[in-house]
């Protein structure tokens, strides 16, 4: 696990305390201040509406565009959306997390993997949507390779694994390749 992803998981574990997932008011972003440029917050409103409430500057810089306010469906190829939507709904419902890596092509040099860890955060009000906090870190420095060649679509990740937070996980068969879950 990359240092950024590891720091995020450790902070998230502190935020949740004895709960299965933290509430928004329990989040202390100062705990991961040095990594905020790689953080995104996706609000899961419905199976068709998943809106980025926050997208870190490094993510926007690699994409060459601002993603805050964008529906995840608009960043997904039509053939990828049904599975991506179903997985994110399940992450919010169980709750559970997901870890994966995605390969991105840049304007210079060979493609580079980014590692992702996505964990749920409950709203302070019970009737508000769950948010998915996701941290990303390329496994190599990509600053001199920017921007990504495809700023529109998110690739399907590799090595997708659900993360069991204590409430179970969905059927791994819904992942591109069914792999055993990780346990926090």
């Amino acid at each position: 696990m990359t240092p950024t992803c590891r720091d995020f998981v450790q902070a998230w574990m502190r935020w949740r305390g004895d709960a299965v997932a933290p509430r928004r008011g329990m989040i202390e972003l100062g705990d991961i201040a040095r990594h905020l440029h790689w953080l995104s917050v996706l609000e899961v409103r419905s199976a068709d509406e998943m809106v980025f409430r926050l997208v870190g500057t490094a993510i926007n810089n690699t994409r060459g565009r601002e993603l805050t306010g964008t529906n995840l469906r608009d960043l997904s190829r039509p053939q990828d959306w049904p599975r991506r939507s179903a997985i994110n709904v399940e992450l919010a419902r169980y709750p559970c997390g997901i870890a994966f890596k995605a390969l991105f092509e840049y304007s210079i040099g060979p493609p580079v993997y980014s590692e992702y860890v996505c964990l749920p955060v409950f709203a302070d009000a019970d009737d508000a949507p769950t948010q998915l906090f996701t941290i990303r870190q390329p496994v190599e420095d990509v600053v001199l390779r920017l921007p990504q060649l495809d700023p529109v679509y998110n690739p399907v990740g590799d090595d997708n694994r659900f993360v069991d937070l204590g409430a179970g996980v969905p059927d791994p068969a819904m992942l591109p390749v069914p792999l055993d879950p990780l346990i926090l």
Side-chain angles (χ1 to χ4, degrees), residues 63 102-106 110-114 116 136 148 153-155:
R63 295 300 282 259
L103 190 62
F104 291 96
E105 293 187 41
Y106 295 90
V112 175
Y113 274 104
S114 282
Y116 288 77
R136 168 187 176 188
Q148 288 175 201
Y153 296 116
N154 286 345

Side-chain angles (χ1 to χ4, degrees), residues 77-141:
R77 288 183 171 79
Q79 66 269 24
D80 298 337
W81 178 245
R83 181 189 314 254
R84 184 169 282 153
S85 172
I87 288 170
N88 284 336
V89 166
E90 292 296 291
L91 295 179
R93 186 176 76 83
Y94 261 86
C96 64
I98 195 165
F100 61 94
K101 61 183 181 179
L103 190 62
F104 291 96
E105 293 187 41
Y106 295 90
S107 59
I108 299 172
V112 175
Y113 274 104
S114 282
E115 182 178 74
Y116 288 77
V117 175
C118 176
L119 298 169
V121 173
F122 296 138
D124 290 327
D126 289 333
D127 59 343
T130 295
Q131 295 178 333
L132 302 176
F133 278 51
T134 302
I135 201 81
R136 168 187 176 188
Q137 183 180 21
V139 297
E140 297 175 28
D141 186 0

Side-chain angles (χ1 to χ4, degrees), residues 4 32 39 87 115 133 163 182:
T4 298
I32 57 168
L39 180 72
I87 288 170
E115 182 178 74
F133 278 51
V163 178
L182 301 172

Side-chain angles (χ1 to χ4, degrees), residues 12-182:
W12 186 91
M13 297 283 286
R14 283 191 306 276
W15 300 336
R16 81 173 183 163
D18 293 331
V20 71
R23 292 213 175 257
R24 182 67 181 97
M26 302 164 77
I27 302 300
E28 295 289 336
L29 290 178
D31 291 349
I32 57 168
R34 67 185 188 173
H35 305 304
L36 289 177
H37 58 289
W38 287 113
L39 180 72
S40 64
V41 177
L42 182 72
E43 191 168 85
V44 180
R45 298 175 182 170
S46 72
D48 284 322
E49 188 180 12
M50 300 178 192
V51 177
F52 284 100
R53 302 282 295 172
L54 172 109
V55 178
T57 55
I59 297 168
N60 288 326
N61 289 343
T62 60
R63 295 300 282 259
R65 63 185 271 213
E66 173 62 52
L67 297 175
T68 302
T70 302
N71 190 331
L72 181 60
R73 184 178 191 139
D74 298 333
L75 299 175
S76 302
R77 288 183 171 79
Q79 66 269 24
D80 298 337
W81 178 245
R83 181 189 314 254
R84 184 169 282 153
S85 172
I87 288 170
N88 284 336
V89 166
E90 292 296 291
L91 295 179
R93 186 176 76 83
Y94 261 86
C96 64
I98 195 165
F100 61 94
K101 61 183 181 179
L103 190 62
F104 291 96
E105 293 187 41
Y106 295 90
S107 59
I108 299 172
V112 175
Y113 274 104
S114 282
E115 182 178 74
Y116 288 77
V117 175
C118 176
L119 298 169
V121 173
F122 296 138
D124 290 327
D126 289 333
D127 59 343
T130 295
Q131 295 178 333
L132 302 176
F133 278 51
T134 302
I135 201 81
R136 168 187 176 188
Q137 183 180 21
V139 297
E140 297 175 28
D141 186 0
V142 296
V143 171
L144 297 177
R145 300 179 183 193
L146 300 180
Q148 288 175 201
L149 288 182
D150 186 353
V152 177
Y153 296 116
N154 286 345
V156 172
D158 296 328
D159 298 331
N160 291 270
R161 290 179 183 266
F162 287 119
V163 178
D164 190 342
L165 308 172
V169 296
D171 182 355
M174 71 186 309
L175 298 172
V177 174
L179 297 173
D180 290 335
L182 301 172

